[in-house]
Amino acid sequence: MAAGELSASTATPSLQAQQSGHQLDTLHGVYFPCLQSILGVILFLRLTHITSQAGCLFTSLLILVSSASTLFTWSSLSAIVTNGQIQGSSGPYYIISRTLGADIGCSLGLLYYIGNTLSCSMFVLGAAEAVQHSVRAYYARWGYGFSGHIFRWDVQLLAILLVVSMAGCVHVGTKYVTLFSNLFLCVTLTSILCVCMGCALFAMGLEEGNLQPYDRSFMENLWPRYEPDPYTGVVPNFFSCLALVYPCVTGMLAGTSKSLHLKNPSMSIPKGTFWAIMTCTFVYLTVCWLFGMTISNRTLKVDKFVTASVSYPHELVVRVGVIVSCLGLILGCMSTAPNLIAAMSSDNVLPFLAILRQDCEGDQPRKALWFTAILVALPTLGGNLDHVSPYATIFYLLMYAGLNAATCISGYVKPPGFRPTFRYFHWSVSFVGFVWCLGLSFCISVVGTFVSMLAFLLMHGYIKKARRLAKSGIRWGTLGNAVRYNIVSSALNSLAKSAASTSSFPTEVTLSMAEEGSTLTGIKKSPSFTSDGSVLSGSIDNNEEWVHFQPNSEFHAKNWRPQLLTIMDVDYHGAPTNLHVMSLAAQLQQMGKGINVVITIIDRSKAANAVSVASAINSICEEAKAREDASLSSDITGTSRWQNEEESRSSTTSGIDHADTIKLIQRSKGLLMFQMKREGMDGFAEVSTTDGKFFEAVWSAVIHTGLGPLSPNTILFSLPSFLAFEQSSPTNEIKDMECDGGSRRDSIAFEQDLIRAGEYLRTINGILNLGKAVILFKGCPTYPKHEAPLPERGTIDVWWIVHDGGLLLLLPFLLSKHAVWAGINDDIGTKRKSKNGFRRRKLPGAKLRLFAVTTTRAENPTKLHDAVVDHLQRVRIQAEVTVVDCLSGIGIDEYMRDWNSEKVAPRLDLKKGIVHDATSILKQNMGLPSRNHVASLRKDGISTHNMTLGEVFASKACEKPFVSEEEQANSSHTTDASLQNNGTSSPIDAASLFGDTIRRYSSDANLVVTNLPFIHKKQCAQAYFQFIERVCEGLDNVMFVRGSGAEVITAYA
């Protein structure tokens, strides 16, 4: 297994199962293996003895306490199993390490490995003890005195011979182990049936077996009777009995070891494991009460193999059955434990295990096998499974406690990457499981638990240091990063709330770059990203310097969350306007668990001369009216003249130190924080001022806001409106997305809007060049708010053209989980009164509808639909998928992405149905029907940021030219001359067609989300915003999204 983002093959378990010829269902893949592992040697050799010491009542309590810990751990395991794909043959280790990170995953994996080897030692000693008891019983029956020992070390020698022989069988081939696994289970179940039948017949006096009538005694073992063990002389207690009972319930992870061969692991493992635990608990309780209520206390204490003595029809069935059952359990442990330790060595997380690495992928890890055999043989030198059982119990309990703790933290922190589909999971259950397992471990042995915990912590520290010194390339993301993000975020939000509770506001004001003596220069060259979006390069006009932006190298998509910088519009009172933007920001912050900074920018040049806020507003209105009157008497006014007038006007006003300006800033910040509180938003409010350089102030805020990794990665704007553009006639609209600088308008309003649009466009482009995502939001008062949730379940429509790193999927998913989209208020409506009082209502969230847009006729809508549905299942996002193929050929994708970047996305040949200008990786993927395309492209160094859906899923959705029946029937709707001649339409025509299609399908949606058009070189601002306006015309709430180039969503957590 190679180290990396996805260290195993990108094929799904179902596909690999098909290729290997095995597809196991819940019964054969999970239930039976768990049943075989749980129903082991303790049932036959120790349960009756424990019942004689602790009594039926307390033995039942021991069984229930042990089973309860496994049920709590089952809940955590089910959450992890349903949180991502399962690959590789290491079973539990792969699931835990990919979800919780390499450090915690490997540490817990080592605990599980040690517990597995100790259990295997118990099974070996159990088989040897079964042989010993059988020989002693027959010698005593024949009248010969025999202690059960041929010589002093006979048990140890027999145990070592068993270990070597079983390891040799596994060395030959594990297929024989799998072939005979059901046979071993049948033998175990047959033995249990014979034991129960024999005990019932003995109680009724119909069959004596090898017991005597005086051995029959009813109700003698109801209460505890602790006496010295006849063989060891040790007096047990409640907790020592717990150490003996607990290993009988530690086989719950057997099903995860076969996860690679399951049809549906996320369904089979939780379901099969649960019923196996329930079944085995019932069997143990039945045997406990059946023997405890019918056989005398003395017989149960002296004869530890009384289950064979009372069996029906013959004791050999059970004696041989127990030995065969132990051999099956030994083979099972010998098969799974080496795979686990070999997987850790292959992942390069433990350097000293490099010698155990597999020579070839898929080969039997023979070095790991014999290393495991040595570790199994060492505990057998004690000669008694009672000496091994407590240590196996402690390691299993600590492993379960660590698993519960990690899952509890993930569920409490709720990082966006942790999205389990297991409906019954809650972090509080995992917390109870952690306390339960840790408490049981301390009850069994305080010293042993402390030593084991110290070993775990030392191993965890060693793994972290070893990976850091070795510069390991493993990037699975870590739970620690999510915890640290949550702690810092909560601490900063607490500081923000503390500052909001004070009566006075800070007077510090952020100055624009122009006021600080800096100038804003344009970026001449488009940025270039690496495959993971980690490096951005551009050039500056003045000195031709290269600027490199290098994010944190430890960043992983599972840790991505929207860190928002929201630019709020304000009126001349300083009051925020377009409050729907704040509602959107609040919902993204609450569900994305990120930091939110809300900033407003006030133009001092329009308010500094005012004695008060009211007089400032009147003065601004008078200036606007005067300029409007002047425009009627003037023929044409140039841009330079307008700017000079503004500069001369601002030069006569007072600066930031003016008292009225400070009052306006404080008032604006107070109103901003009040609105944030109304929306239930945690975050920071800032007010910046500028002297007529609004967009330079925006640029400065984007650059300087944030603290290290908590700097904003997503900038949210309200979609600007340009009345002059809207009033222009269609004949004067620009038909090309590039400007030639040739046309001028006679209107002053048009000139001002053109300048403002150009600044707005350059600002967005600069933000994208900084490697940050941009959201443009057009909203209306109907957008759901904290105080005005939707009366019914809302609908969010996603129109997906360009893949864009998955941001277009993640943001609507986060919004859909907010309470306002479920039709109830987060604080008031989450409780509904029932007959017995108040109960919490489960929030279903908004309905997501995804519209996959085909861009060429080479894309088969049916196959693309299946590919998108499969991708959504991988990333655990539920949405209704519809493929829209009526836009194929209009060239809408040319306006949504950069065709001229250094890493051009692969293009589709309409005639041949193949991919051109792509790497050979894409060509090799053609024809692989079930491959995880997004993960495989990222692994091969191809960024999906600039690719359409048809190109991302090229191997699945693209074929020879495909034209649907609907497209043929509606071909009359696409008779535009540009479509007929060139196959692509003009920007305005393409936007109109795209907008009409959206309105046709999404007229009833509460929010429409789609890609933000790409800003091309020499982009015309007027054409760009007219394009956007045509797309969202007639729609109330539209969110345009453009990612930074980095992946933000993964198929595993």
Side-chain angles (χ1 to χ4, degrees), residues 23 28 198 214 334 336 503 558 636 668 677 684 752 811 968 1026:
Q23 273 194 314
H28 296 86
Y214 56 80
M334 286 288 187
T336 57
S503 58
K558 70 193 297 182
I636 182 170
S668 178
K677 184 178 180 180
F684 305 90
Q752 293 177 356
L811 293 182
Q968 294 175 357
Q1026 283 184 341

Side-chain angles (χ1 to χ4, degrees), residues 565-582 597-603 668-669 671-672 675 686-688 694-695 698 716-722 756 760 775-779:
L565 174 62
T566 305
I567 310 297
M568 288 293 299
D569 300 328
V570 293
D571 57 17
Y572 295 128
H573 292 278
T577 59
N578 295 331
L579 297 181
H580 49 268
V581 177
M582 185 173 290
V597 179
V598 182
I599 185 170
T600 60
I601 300 173
I602 300 176
D603 190 351
S668 178
K669 188 167 186 177
L671 293 174
L672 193 62
Q675 292 295 337
E686 298 293 339
V687 178
S688 178
F694 177 80
F695 291 101
V698 173
L716 173 60
F717 295 92
S718 63
L719 182 65
S721 60
F722 303 99
R756 189 163 65 96
Y760 210 111
I775 301 175
L776 285 185
F777 181 51
K778 173 195 174 182

Side-chain angles (χ1 to χ4, degrees), residues 812-825:
F813 171 79
L814 295 176
L815 286 175
S816 68
K817 297 301 179 182
H818 198 274
V820 298
W821 290 93
I824 56 176
N825 186 272

Side-chain angles (χ1 to χ4, degrees), residues 225-243:
R225 294 176 62 180
Y226 296 110
E227 296 177 359
D229 188 283
Y231 300 97
T232 62
V234 178
V235 180
N237 55 34
F238 181 82
F239 296 112
S240 63
C241 292
L242 175 63

Side-chain angles (χ1 to χ4, degrees), residues 18 130 149 169 195 234 271 290 294 305 593 603 759 778 850 919 1008:
Q18 289 177 353
H149 293 281
C169 293
V195 167
V234 178
K271 185 177 180 180
L290 191 59
T294 58
F305 210 0
K593 305 298 181 182
D603 190 351
E759 292 179 346
K778 173 195 174 182
L850 191 145
T919 62
V1008 175

Side-chain angles (χ1 to χ4, degrees), residues 640-714:
S640 60
R641 175 184 173 186
W642 176 74
Q643 291 179 337
N644 291 335
E645 290 178 353
E646 290 294 319
E647 291 176 0
S648 63
R649 186 182 297 108
S650 63
S651 64
T652 61
T653 61
S654 300
I656 190 175
D657 58 339
H658 197 280
D660 291 331
T661 305
I662 300 300
K663 290 180 181 179
L664 184 61
I665 291 173
Q666 293 179 346
R667 172 185 170 83
S668 178
K669 188 167 186 177
L671 293 174
L672 193 62
M673 296 175 69
F674 174 74
Q675 292 295 337
M676 292 173 63
K677 184 178 180 180
R678 289 184 62 185
E679 290 292 340
M681 178 193 298
D682 292 329
F684 305 90
E686 298 293 339
V687 178
S688 178
T689 64
T690 182
D691 193 6
K693 306 293 184 181
F694 177 80
F695 291 101
E696 289 189 8
V698 173
W699 181 261
S700 178
V702 171
I703 293 178
H704 297 113
T705 302
L707 296 172
L710 295 181
S711 298
N713 56 22
T714 306

Side-chain angles (χ1 to χ4, degrees), residues 110-127:
L110 283 176
L111 287 178
Y112 177 68
Y113 174 76
I114 296 173
N116 208 353
T117 55
L118 291 175
S119 295
C120 189
S121 301
M122 285 179 52
F123 301 146
V124 172
L125 291 173

